[in-house]
């Protein structure tokens, strides 16, 4: 839950969180210390985490004056998750005699539409993750992130707060040398996360 200068970022998993927190001058998400989950001004909220859902933020009455969130094409988001933790799916598959992609799809089906412990939130749909989000939240789109970030940087005068104008895109989901996820499985992901397509359309994001 990146929170700094009274500005909250709803950090949906696999939506450029590392790039955004670096631009906010907060901890790198690779930091595995306990403090890595307590960004900036949110350290006073016990139980906070990198990926605190909107419902938790509302329940805990987290204080902020502005908020933003980055939304991403549902299939691209989950394919990124697949490549990011591929070795995990592969190891589970070896134990269960399943392919890495079948293991991954099983987890998508299990956790996409439910509120789960922190380690399973990567599978939550964007719609479920953001239930209860503040109505005035500014929407950024992954596919137009640089332009959207520039507009927010200017509109909110983030230079004055010491935020970085340049958003460095960091890709942690490397697919080279990894067993690719098939078109068929991508279509299954699209079906599992069908509600996200409608959810994004509400914000003028057409994900096809």
């Amino acid at each position: 839950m990146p929170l700094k200068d009274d500005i909250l970022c709803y950090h949906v998993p696999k939506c450029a969180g590392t790039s955004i927190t670096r631009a906010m001058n907060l901890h790198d998400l690779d930091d595995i210390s306990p403090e890595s989950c307590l960004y900036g001004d949110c350290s006073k909220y016990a139980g906070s985490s990198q990926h605190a859902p909107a419902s938790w933020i509302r329940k805990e009455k987290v204080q902020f004056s502005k908020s933003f969130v980055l939304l991403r094409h549902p299939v691209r988001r989950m394919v990124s998750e697949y490549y990011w933790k591929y070795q995990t799916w592969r190891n589970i598959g070896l134990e269960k005699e399943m392919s890495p992609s079948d293991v991954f799809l099983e987890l998508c089906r299990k956790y996409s539409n439910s509120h789960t412990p922190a380690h399973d939130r990567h599978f939550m749909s964007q719609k479920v993750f953001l239930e209860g989000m503040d109505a005035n939240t500014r929407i950024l789109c992954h596919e137009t992130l640089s332009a959207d970030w520039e507009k927010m940087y200017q509109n909110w005068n983030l230079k004055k707060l010491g935020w970085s104008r340049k958003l460095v895109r960091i890709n942690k989901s490397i697919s080279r040398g990894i067993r690719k996820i098939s078109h068929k499985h991508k279509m299954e992901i699209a079906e599992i996360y069908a509600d996200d397509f409608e959810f994004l359309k509400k914000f003028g994001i057409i994900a096809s």
Side-chain angles (χ1 to χ4, degrees), residues 142-197:
H142 191 276
E143 282 70 30
T144 56
L145 180 54
S146 295
D148 290 352
W149 182 265
E150 174 66 22
K151 289 178 183 176
M152 188 175 79
Y153 185 88
Q154 297 290 349
N155 293 161
W156 287 2
N157 196 15
L158 297 179
K159 180 180 180 180
K160 184 178 180 180
L161 300 178
W163 292 29
S164 175
R165 181 174 186 173
K166 185 177 182 181
L167 195 69
V168 180
R169 301 294 289 269
I170 301 165
N171 183 13
K172 292 186 174 182
S173 303
I174 308 301
S175 60
R176 187 181 304 113
I178 289 176
R179 183 175 177 177
K180 300 295 186 291
I181 191 162
S182 69
H183 177 73
K184 176 186 175 183
H185 283 158
K186 287 180 181 179
M187 292 300 99
E188 289 186 52
I189 290 173
E191 184 175 340
I192 293 169
Y193 293 92
D195 286 349
D196 269 356
F197 287 91

Side-chain angles (χ1 to χ4, degrees), residues 28-133:
D28 190 321
L29 298 187
D30 284 335
D31 182 357
I32 59 173
S33 70
E35 291 75 23
S36 68
C37 291
L38 301 176
Y39 296 119
D41 303 330
C42 76
S43 59
K44 61 185 176 182
Y45 297 104
S48 176
S49 71
Q50 293 179 18
H51 304 298
S55 59
W56 183 91
I57 292 171
R58 180 178 288 271
K59 179 173 70 75
E60 295 298 319
K61 298 180 180 178
V62 175
Q63 299 299 306
F64 55 92
S65 62
K66 296 178 181 177
S67 61
F68 69 96
V69 65
L70 191 147
L71 302 178
R72 187 174 187 180
H73 186 288
V75 175
R76 292 175 195 147
R77 173 182 166 241
M78 297 316 297
V79 168
S80 177
E81 178 73 27
Y82 170 78
Y83 288 130
W84 180 50
K85 290 291 186 180
Y86 173 80
Q87 197 57 47
T88 299
W89 324 135
R90 181 177 181 276
N91 290 341
I92 295 173
L94 289 173
E95 293 179 6
K96 293 188 172 184
E97 297 184 349
M98 297 170 63
S99 71
S101 54
D102 283 334
V103 169
F104 183 73
L105 283 168
E106 185 177 83
L107 292 169
C108 288
R109 295 187 191 98
K110 184 175 181 180
Y111 296 118
S112 61
N113 289 308
S114 61
H115 289 276
T116 62
H119 61 281
D120 294 322
R121 288 177 187 158
H122 278 247
F123 295 97
M124 289 173 69
S125 70
Q126 292 167 89
K127 179 183 178 182
V128 172
F129 188 92
L130 295 171
E131 287 176 349
M133 178 176 68

Side-chain angles (χ1 to χ4, degrees), residues 3-47:
L3 174 62
K4 186 181 179 187
D5 302 316
D6 213 22
I7 299 175
L8 170 76
C9 171
Y10 290 99
H11 182 194
V12 179
K14 302 313 295 174
C15 286
T18 302
S19 300
I20 288 172
T21 50
R22 287 186 182 181
M24 295 172 74
N25 294 320
L26 292 172
H27 295 290
D28 190 321
L29 298 187
D30 284 335
D31 182 357
I32 59 173
S33 70
E35 291 75 23
S36 68
C37 291
L38 301 176
Y39 296 119
D41 303 330
C42 76
S43 59
K44 61 185 176 182
Y45 297 104

